[in-house]
Amino acid sequence: MADAPYKLVLLRHGESEWNAKNLFTGWVDVDLTEKGEKEAARGGQLLLDAGVLPDVLHTSLQRRAIRTAQLALDVADLNWLPVRRSWRLNERHYGALQGKDKKQTLEEFGEEQFMLWRRSYDTPPPPLADDDEYSQFADRRYASLPVEIRPRTECLKDVVERMLPYWYDAIVPDLFGGDTVLVAAHGNSLRALVKHLDGVSDADIAGLNIPTGIPLLYELDADLRPVTPGGRYLDPEAAAAAIEAVKNQGRK
Ligand SMILES: O=C(O)[C@@H](CO)OP(=O)(O)O
């Protein structure tokens, strides 16, 4: 096997309240469900069982990712890990779709438009008004972000562009320093990172989905290229089933 000096673990948050309700979530700061809490703890157990013990944690600024990391690390007795958080790891801002039912949206706008908004690389949903009940524009946690970069909607391309500076400036230095890095984030911010790591094309990334709560381990070579393309889920069977479920959201 090729030399793999660096270890990166990606962890999507456990099931959230709005995952359970099948609502577009984006930057809305919903909590985990009980099932999500269990998924998070199991994620920690999977890390422990695999002997993959992170040295440092990076999270988004959103409760569901922060709590997932805490619950997972608690199981692995790693509550003490140093942590950095950034809006750059946040879920994709879903614009005017935030708070909307996925099934209703599919029925109202049709399959093509629904999938364009949900999975196309460069078509963002319409922007969300700043005074909308689901807007985070005035949220204190984003007060240090100049208004021109505070999103009102995002496509995946936008997420790649705002996530990569954090990858290069914050995560890569930890990897090069020899740390096993845990990134606790979201379906679409992790799709953006996987797209970068695996060099997935703009077209193919539409078909890639990330399940909740199952650690995805990337062993990286000296140039930070994955030794195993796509990485390795620590519970591959559960991951395969959960990926199908994410793919089919809106259809049940
Ligand atoms: O609603 C969202 O924010 C995301 C993740 O839950 O959904 P989707 O998988 O449809 O991009």
Side-chain angles (χ1 to χ4, degrees):
M1 190 164 115
D3 223 20
Y6 306 120
K7 276 198 180 70
L8 171 69
V9 182
L10 308 185
L11 181 62
R12 181 180 174 198
H13 61 82
E15 182 193 70
S16 76
E17 286 164 347
W18 280 20
N19 291 147
K21 289 186 180 157
N22 218 11
L23 304 178
F24 285 104
T25 316
W27 277 37
V28 181
D29 198 24
V30 298
D31 209 340
L32 298 177
T33 60
E34 228 175 274
K35 180 179 166 200
E37 289 172 352
K38 289 201 179 100
E39 286 174 345
R42 180 152 184 279
Q45 189 62 47
L46 287 169
L47 289 174
L48 206 54
D49 293 348
V52 178
L53 300 182
D55 300 297
V56 62
L57 166 68
H58 294 264
T59 78
S60 68
L61 300 187
Q62 297 182 279
R63 173 186 293 262
R64 56 194 188 273
I66 292 169
R67 289 202 61 229
T68 294
Q70 277 167 348
L71 290 162
L73 292 177
D74 191 44
V75 171
D77 197 17
L78 291 169
N79 299 286
W80 50 270
L81 282 199
V83 56
R84 280 182 72 181
R85 311 192 196 282
S86 172
W87 71 277
R88 293 182 185 276
L89 294 176
N90 271 21
E91 181 53 293
R92 166 157 82 109
H93 193 298
Y94 246 114
L97 295 184
Q98 292 192 164
K100 298 258 187 303
D101 185 279
K102 290 184 185 175
K103 187 161 182 274
Q104 274 169 20
T105 306
L106 173 61
E107 283 164 6
E108 191 180 336
F109 294 95
E111 173 78 21
E112 201 183 324
Q113 183 63 64
F114 176 76
M115 284 314 286
L116 208 62
W117 280 335
R118 200 171 169 230
R119 287 294 176 265
S120 79
Y121 187 53
D122 50 14
T123 306
L128 185 65
D130 294 347
D131 60 356
D132 190 282
E133 63 173 317
Y134 296 128
S135 169
Q136 298 69 42
F137 208 76
D139 191 313
R140 227 187 110 214
R141 84 192 78 181
Y142 307 116
S144 63
L145 280 186
V147 289
E148 67 273 19
I149 60 165
R150 233 179 278 171
R152 294 177 170 98
T153 186
E154 290 180 311
C155 57
L156 192 65
K157 184 166 187 265
D158 297 323
V159 180
V160 169
E161 282 166 12
R162 57 110 151 138
M163 182 277 302
L164 277 180
Y166 191 76
W167 164 252
Y168 287 116
D169 290 351
I171 300 175
V172 168
D174 282 349
L175 289 167
F176 282 166
D179 286 346
T180 294
V181 176
L182 174 61
V183 177
H186 304 263
N188 295 298
S189 52
L190 292 176
R191 289 175 67 237
L193 184 47
V194 164
K195 184 180 191 299
H196 172 73
L197 289 171
D198 284 312
V200 181
S201 72
D202 297 358
D204 287 352
I205 195 63
L208 190 135
N209 288 288
I210 308 238
T212 51
I214 306 174
L216 172 59
L217 172 65
Y218 274 94
E219 296 183 281
L220 304 169
D221 71 13
D223 296 323
L224 296 177
R225 276 191 288 258
V227 168
T228 307
R232 180 164 64 83
Y233 280 104
L234 296 188
D235 183 345
E237 262 174 48
I243 285 168
E244 274 309 294
V246 178
K247 204 153 108 193
N248 292 323
Q249 263 175 15
R251 288 186 180 76
K252 50 186 176 172

